[in-house]
Amino acid sequence: MSFQTLDHAVAGHLLTRLRETDTPSPEFRTLAHRLASILIVEATRSLQTTPKHITTPLEPMLGTQLTAAPVLVPILRAGLGMVPAAQEILPEASIGYIGLARDEATAEAKLYYCNLPDLNGKTVLLLDPMLATGGSAASAATHVYAAGAARVIMVAIVAAPEGVAFLQQAHPQLEIISASLDRELNEKKYILPGLGDFGDRLFGT
Ligand code: PRP
Ligand code: URA
């Protein structure tokens, strides 16, 4: 499994404001959108391309095009905050949904919805801003691989070392990119320093 963090001045600037307690939901959504854009561009750097013969106004040339659009799979709810940015960059991408909610007492992820298109041989961008214990991402990856995905790239905004290690064990072939690798989880399995509950801050709940 590969794990990569963004080393980017603008991403750091956006994430710092995203983390602040006093950032209200409308601004939080805007910042999440901008950060997701940077992450998606980086996550798709090595997608397979095919040569394409074109003609510019001046001469013919050999360009490239994506061989196939990846499939977006946001993990509900918080992953929805990354979908508009991903759609702007990959307008041809189809979208599947996985609904997972952590039990507040045990932090165990419970599946409540799964609607995936045929993923046979496809590349999937699994979208979830928070990678804490890794339970939600591991469960989502299991479903996505079971539906035939050939390559899965998990795109997160904040990751905890515990979650990255768990995913490494559960899905050795999974690729992960995150804007940050934070310090640790607290006793309630929240990420420190983190940003709190992403879904609540995104949706104002
Ligand atoms: C959050 C977050 C991840 C999960 C991460 O979702 O969006 O899906 O927790 O935690 P884990 O790595 O320990 O599984 P939550 O269950 O709070 O649901 P929500 O997105 O509906 O708020
Ligand atoms: N989910 C969140 O939204 N935040 C955390 O810190 C952990 C899980």
Side-chain angles (χ1 to χ4, degrees), residues 75-79 100-102 107 109 112 128-137 189-190 197-200:
I75 301 179
L76 308 178
R77 293 175 299 170
L100 283 157
R102 292 202 321 172
Y112 61 86
D128 192 337
M130 303 305 276
L131 172 49
T133 64
S136 304
K189 308 297 184 197
Y190 273 79
D197 189 305
F198 196 101
D200 283 349

Side-chain angles (χ1 to χ4, degrees), residues 11-25 27-33 35 129-130 157-158 179 194-196 198 201-202:
H13 175 87
L14 296 171
L15 179 56
T16 298
R17 181 65 186 141
L18 192 78
R19 289 180 190 275
E20 279 191 285
T21 313
D22 68 353
T23 302
S25 279
E27 187 184 355
F28 191 92
R29 283 193 286 275
T30 302
L31 293 162
H33 181 89
L35 256 177
M130 303 305 276
I157 290 179
V158 178
L195 50 73
F198 196 101
R201 298 192 64 181
L202 184 72

Side-chain angles (χ1 to χ4, degrees), residues 3-15 34-45 82 155-159 176-181:
F3 175 74
Q4 179 199 343
T5 51
L6 271 185
D7 182 17
H8 193 293
V10 176
H13 175 87
L14 296 171
L15 179 56
R34 291 184 186 148
L35 256 177
S37 299
I38 299 172
L39 278 162
I40 298 292
V41 167
E42 193 55 38
T44 51
R45 177 185 288 277
M82 303 170 82
V155 186
I157 290 179
V158 178
I176 308 174
I177 180 166
S178 176
S180 172
L181 180 64

